[in-house]
Amino acid sequence: MNILVTGGAGYIGSVCVEQLLNRGFNVVVVDNLSEGHRDAVDTRAVFVEANIEDSDAIGAVFKKHSIDAIMHFAALALVGESMEQPGRYFKNNVYGALNLLETGRIAGIKKFIFSSTCATYGMPERVPITEDLPQNPLNPYGESKLMFEKILSWYNKIYGLEFVAFRYFNAAGATEKFGEDHKKETHLIPNVLKVVLGKKEVCEIYGTDYPTPDGTCIRDYIHIYDLVTAHIAALKPGIVGFYNLGNGDGYSVKEVINMCEKVTGKKIPAIERPRRPGDAPKLIAKADKAHCDLNWKPQYPSLEKIVSSAWEWHRKHPDGYKR
Ligand code: UDP
């Protein structure tokens, strides 16, 4: 089976490419390297440097390769940035994705697997969050993902095209070869580990006055290997719809920092900062639907294992993919 992976040079995409190849799939990666790294693309994959908004380049990929399914990871994904540059977010995450979907549909793909986000829920009316809760995004990033979820539903209704949209909670951790290296790092775990590596002086805690037991935000962290195995399970014909991917456990920012101290054996200095705009106090998934329909079970649900794998990777790659 031939899979087109967009964003295969990025954090989650690179691990997905690796795991698809390990299981005998053929993989074509499309990535414009705006965020991704050429060295993060598994050497066994075919690599095409192209932008998903470029119809000619995407059309040429489908002409050259007979693609059975698309896994679409390429996206802009920073909440704060989306509040400053909404146009870029809608253009890439909606227009670019639609270009890919329409070209793939005409070429006869059987399935479209999409990286959506729990940011589509906004402030959830209850936690844990089930897939049927109202979606009211708080920022253009979440809105752009929700818009594309709706486009996928229409393509299913009108053309019968199978899709799976995964609403990720907090992706974290690494495999032995591939890990997290963003040009502008905003995520909690890599930022805390950077302090241990001496790349940052202190870690910052954004908000200590949330209505949570220690006042800091609670998130549901999921190992990227587990995220990826759900995508591979979703290739099965007949699986269609929206699925949360999380572990169902919540950890506060302070608990995550404590776990990083435990795993690295180092005291990590932290300073308290004001709240970051757009952050919900508590986001925890109920992922029973994925367990049940996809027969999917996370292998690394413990925060300690997630942080340990991230630490292993960052220790070996203190400068990320830079050689
Ligand atoms: N956070 C923090 N310091 C950081 C980065 C993040 O306190 O350096 C907080 C952030 O405000 C949020 C949580 O950690 O409450 C997780 O943030 P992250 O950016 O990792 O993921 P998000 O939940 O925004 O997708």
Side-chain angles (χ1 to χ4, degrees):
M1 198 175 182
N2 301 328
I3 317 286
L4 172 62
V5 179
T6 71
Y11 173 42
I12 306 170
S14 64
V15 174
C16 192
V17 171
E18 173 190 44
Q19 296 304 321
L20 283 166
L21 290 162
N22 286 353
R23 287 161 178 76
F25 293 93
N26 301 312
V27 178
V28 178
V29 169
V30 167
D31 198 300
N32 66 0
L33 300 182
S34 63
E35 280 297 323
H37 309 269
R38 186 63 184 87
D39 287 341
V41 180
D42 196 303
T43 50
R44 296 168 293 172
V46 172
F47 178 72
V48 180
E49 186 173 339
N51 192 320
I52 54 167
E53 294 165 26
D54 181 343
S55 307
D56 292 343
I58 297 300
V61 171
F62 283 97
K63 262 214 179 90
K64 185 155 181 207
H65 304 277
S66 155
I67 302 293
D68 300 298
I70 298 175
M71 292 192 182
H72 177 42
F73 296 95
L76 298 176
L78 301 181
V79 167
E81 192 180 72
S82 81
M83 297 287 280
E84 287 155 16
Q85 306 170 27
R88 271 185 74 214
Y89 275 70
F90 292 117
K91 187 155 179 274
N92 185 81
N93 295 1
V94 184
Y95 168 73
L98 178 57
N99 184 41
L100 180 70
L101 173 66
E102 180 65 3
T103 313
R105 178 193 71 79
I106 293 166
I109 57 152
K110 302 278 175 297
K111 181 148 266 170
F112 194 102
I113 299 178
F114 174 57
S115 304
S116 189
T117 168
C118 64
T120 58
Y121 295 110
M123 288 294 171
E125 61 188 37
R126 60 179 154 77
V127 286
I129 300 169
T130 47
E131 288 85 354
D132 56 349
L133 284 194
Q135 290 170 290
N136 297 303
L138 301 175
N139 46 63
Y141 165 62
E143 190 72 62
S144 69
K145 292 286 183 173
L146 178 58
M147 287 166 85
F148 196 68
E149 283 195 358
K150 290 185 176 167
I151 292 174
L152 286 172
S153 281
W154 285 111
Y155 269 62
N156 177 252
K157 276 193 197 102
I158 295 167
Y159 300 115
L161 178 64
E162 291 195 352
F163 75 88
V164 173
F166 285 118
R167 296 178 188 149
Y168 301 163
F169 284 65
N170 288 63
T175 61
E176 202 190 323
K177 287 193 188 149
F178 302 106
E180 195 164 10
D181 176 12
H182 295 114
K183 290 194 175 126
K184 187 170 144 205
E185 192 51 78
T186 61
H187 294 112
L188 178 62
I189 294 175
N191 269 332
V192 176
L193 295 177
K194 270 177 198 265
V195 178
V196 186
L197 288 169
K199 305 269 168 198
K200 236 176 112 90
E201 253 170 45
V202 284
C203 71
E204 295 168 296
I205 300 176
Y206 300 140
T208 50
D209 58 348
Y210 284 98
T212 59
D214 67 16
T216 66
C217 286
I218 292 177
R219 293 289 181 272
D220 182 344
Y221 294 87
I222 175 161
H223 199 292
I224 40 165
Y225 176 86
D226 290 327
L227 274 187
V228 160
T229 57
H231 288 66
I232 297 173
L235 287 169
K236 195 170 146 203
I239 306 272
V240 176
F242 303 99
Y243 292 90
N244 288 338
L245 290 181
N247 281 310
D249 298 317
Y251 294 93
S252 72
V253 172
K254 284 188 176 168
E255 286 171 327
V256 170
I257 297 171
N258 289 342
M259 182 57 79
C260 292
E261 290 188 329
K262 183 176 170 197
V263 164
T264 61
K266 294 271 170 13
K267 182 95 198 92
I268 302 173
I271 45 169
E272 298 182 0
R273 296 275 191 216
R275 290 182 179 199
R276 195 171 67 174
D279 274 344
K282 190 172 177 180
L283 295 172
I284 300 176
K286 194 151 179 66
D288 294 20
K289 195 176 169 218
H291 295 165
C292 187
D293 293 5
L294 305 175
N295 198 14
W296 169 75
K297 196 171 176 298
Q299 276 191 33
Y300 305 104
S302 94
L303 182 65
E304 184 162 3
K305 285 235 165 75
I306 293 172
V307 171
S308 299
S309 72
W311 175 232
E312 272 305 296
W313 194 84
H314 284 286
R315 229 166 33 95
K316 283 196 209 133
H317 305 85
D319 296 310
Y321 286 102
K322 262 185 238 115
R323 286 172 199 257

